[in-house]
């Protein structure tokens, strides 16, 4: 009850973070509760072009603009499909505020089934923010999102999942940004409202002259209440993941007093908090073997896998540098030097 009261307090003093006028602001001409689907074409100076599909949903009453994006990586299917269903279900007459839904940011990756990168320039869209209007097509896409989409966004949910080679447990995550304390507290409360049983806090360490790289980290830098969802694994999906992702959004909209849905599947209210992650990088290219899966607990010094060459000869044995829970890991055999092999989360007590 205290958390709900605090969330209402945050909303009462929440200042909407509108920056320079955006092409997106043209949709403000929608004076009645309605749904509008549109496609924005963005082009690079080398004449590469992509279409970014956007749904605008204007509510019947004034309120915050909640932007939800998925498909920055084209093979993260549960989140993409959940947004496509959400778009069909929302009744704008029952909505307070506005929803911006971008279900598949990177359509080229999606339709060509290319994990992580845009096949047009082989860049990872979630590693080039804030982007560059004079750069390659992926950098132009990031620039469009940073300048146009974020300019009209008050709250951002950046949805991700296990791409083709990733095994992970479902979790919500946010940056512990001390510069924008109100937005950080609101991000945490919305993560808690989602119904997910795992919440991960990332440290916010970003020098002023360094790029954010990640989409929702860029939004945090711009003073937006931003957080992310991770669900699904190994480039696959099932109905339960889709429903879990969609129910989480309904819970968050309910917490924001934006939308009420009568039927939402019950979720475990027990939450485990993780922070101070430890990353294990791939030391050498090869074939990865491990009996551990996402969600398993590993202990410092325990062997957690090994890497072999193409003849099966062991090149490197891997041990856990710290005790913790595997939040995500590479779930397929091929690995390349420098890639993140394991992310190990360290549990903490929120009350401490």
């Amino acid at each position: 009850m205290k958390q709900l009261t605090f969330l209402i307090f945050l909303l009462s003093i929440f200042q909407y973070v509108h920056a320079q006028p955006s092409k997106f602001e043209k949709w403000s001409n929608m004076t009645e509760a309605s749904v509008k689907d549109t496609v924005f074409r963005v082009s690079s100076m080398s004449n590469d072009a992509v279409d970014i599909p956007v749904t605008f949903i204007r509510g019947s009453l004034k309120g915050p603009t909640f932007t939800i994006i998925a498909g920055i990586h084209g093979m993260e299917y549960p989140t993409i499909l959940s947004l496509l269903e959400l778009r069909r279900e929302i009744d704008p007459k029952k909505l307070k505020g506005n929803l911006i839904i971008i279900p598949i940011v990177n359509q080229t990756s999606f339709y060509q089934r290319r994990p992580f990168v845009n096949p047009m320039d082989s860049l990872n869209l979630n590693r080039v923010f804030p982007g560059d209007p004079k750069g390659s097509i992926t950098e132009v896409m990031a620039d469009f999102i940073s300048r146009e989409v974020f300019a009209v966004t008050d709250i951002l949910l950046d949805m991700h999942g296990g791409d083709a080679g990733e095994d992970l447990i479902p979790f919500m995550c946010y940056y512990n940004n001390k510069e924008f304390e109100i937005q950080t507290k609101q991000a945490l409360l919305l993560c808690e409202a989602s119904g997910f049983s795992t919440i991960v806090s990332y440290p916010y360490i970003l020098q002023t002259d360094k790029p954010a790289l990640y989409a929702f980290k860029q939004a945090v830098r711009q003073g937006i209440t931003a957080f992310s969802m991770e669900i699904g694994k190994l480039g696959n999906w099932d109905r339960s993941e889709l429903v879990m992702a969609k129910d989480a959004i309904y819970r968050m909209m309910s917490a924001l007093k934006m939308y009420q849905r009568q039927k939402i599947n019950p979720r475990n209210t027990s939450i485990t908090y993780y922070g101070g992650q430890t990353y294990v990088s791939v030391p050498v290219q090869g074939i990865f073997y491990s009996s551990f899966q996402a969600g398993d607990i590993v202990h410092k010094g325990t062997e957690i896998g090994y890497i072999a060459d193409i003849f099966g000869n062991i090149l490197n044995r891997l041990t856990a540098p710290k005790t913790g829970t595997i939040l995500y890991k590479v779930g397929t055999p091929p690995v390349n030097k420098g890639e993140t092999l394991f992310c190990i989360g360290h549990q903490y007590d929120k009350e401490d």
Side-chain angles (χ1 to χ4, degrees):
M1 189 64 184
K2 289 182 179 179
Q3 288 183 343
L4 179 59
T5 302
F6 184 60
L7 180 56
I8 294 172
F9 166 73
L10 287 178
L11 290 172
S12 69
I13 63 174
F14 189 67
Q15 296 182 353
Y16 301 148
V17 192
H18 294 307
Q20 296 296 321
S22 160
K23 295 176 184 177
F24 266 50
E25 289 184 333
K26 293 180 179 179
W27 77 294
S28 62
N29 294 326
M30 298 164 57
T31 57
E32 298 180 354
S34 55
V35 179
K36 180 181 179 182
D37 295 321
T38 189
V39 173
F40 289 86
R41 169 153 284 217
V42 298
S43 304
S44 69
M45 297 184 70
S46 60
N47 294 321
D48 288 328
V50 296
D51 291 334
I52 300 179
V54 180
T55 297
F56 298 110
I57 306 179
R58 175 169 289 282
S60 59
L61 297 173
K62 289 185 178 181
T65 295
F66 187 9
T67 297
I68 312 173
I69 61 177
I72 278 183
H73 296 139
M75 293 185 67
E76 296 174 345
Y77 300 129
T79 55
I80 292 171
L81 297 178
S82 68
L83 286 191
L84 292 174
E85 283 200 2
L86 182 78
R87 177 251 177 269
R88 295 194 299 270
E89 293 174 0
I90 293 292
D91 181 352
K93 294 180 180 179
K94 299 179 180 179
L95 177 67
K96 179 180 179 182
N98 311 296
L99 277 179
I100 298 176
I101 298 174
I102 308 180
I104 313 174
V105 177
N106 195 342
Q107 287 196 83
T108 310
S109 170
F110 177 77
Y111 283 113
Q112 293 192 25
R113 303 187 186 93
R114 285 287 299 275
F116 305 113
V117 302
N118 184 345
M120 298 178 72
D121 58 9
S122 296
L123 290 180
N124 184 334
L125 178 56
N126 210 35
R127 297 294 185 274
V128 298
F129 277 84
D132 182 356
K134 298 181 180 179
S136 68
I137 188 61
T138 299
E139 293 170 317
V140 172
M141 292 168 69
D143 173 74
F144 172 79
I145 294 170
S146 297
R147 289 191 301 108
E148 302 287 351
V149 181
F150 292 170
V152 296
T153 295
D154 301 315
I155 303 159
L156 174 74
L157 171 58
D158 180 19
M159 301 178 76
H160 287 273
D163 212 319
E166 295 175 317
D167 177 23
L168 58 78
I169 60 173
F171 63 88
M172 300 293 301
C173 54
Y174 70 100
Y175 282 103
N176 188 13
N177 184 0
K178 304 297 185 181
E179 181 180 357
F180 296 103
E181 291 188 0
I182 290 177
Q183 289 88 335
T184 298
K185 289 177 181 178
Q186 189 182 34
L188 171 57
L189 288 172
L190 290 171
C191 287
E192 292 173 331
S194 72
F196 275 45
S197 60
T198 301
I199 296 178
V200 178
S201 171
Y202 292 136
Y204 185 80
I205 302 171
L206 183 59
Q207 298 178 13
T208 56
D209 61 337
K210 298 297 182 182
L213 301 181
Y214 310 109
F216 94 97
K217 193 172 188 179
Q218 175 63 31
V220 168
R221 166 177 265 180
Q222 293 180 213
I224 297 168
T225 295
F227 48 100
S228 185
M229 174 189 295
E230 295 278 357
I231 189 171
K233 58 184 178 181
L234 299 172
N236 208 338
W237 71 279
D238 62 44
R239 183 69 193 171
S240 64
E241 293 169 336
L242 190 158
V243 171
M244 182 177 175
K246 192 172 58 174
D247 282 354
I249 296 172
Y250 279 117
R251 291 190 186 93
M252 288 183 275
M253 288 195 295
S254 176
L256 289 164
K257 305 300 182 184
M258 291 181 67
Y259 200 86
Q260 301 296 327
R261 188 190 189 205
Q262 290 183 344
K263 294 184 179 180
I264 300 178
N265 293 324
R267 293 291 300 162
N268 186 353
T269 56
S270 175
I271 299 176
T272 303
Y273 297 87
Y274 291 93
Q277 301 76 27
T278 297
Y279 296 91
V280 178
S281 298
V282 178
V284 61
Q285 184 184 60
I287 301 171
F288 172 55
Y289 296 85
S290 177
S291 60
F292 287 92
Q293 296 178 329
D296 288 345
I297 296 174
V298 295
H299 297 276
K300 182 178 179 179
T302 301
E303 183 172 319
I304 53 178
Y306 65 89
I307 297 173
D309 64 18
I310 56 174
F311 298 105
N313 300 309
I314 295 177
L315 300 174
N316 194 291
R317 293 187 181 276
L318 304 156
T319 57
K322 291 185 178 180
T323 297
T325 301
I326 299 173
L327 299 177
Y328 59 87
K329 62 178 285 289
V330 171
T332 52
V335 293
N336 297 288
K337 185 176 180 179
E339 295 174 342
T340 296
L341 194 58
F342 291 91
C343 173
I344 301 173
H346 307 295
Q347 187 174 341
Y348 70 92
D349 187 343
K350 185 186 174 187
E351 303 304 322
D352 288 347

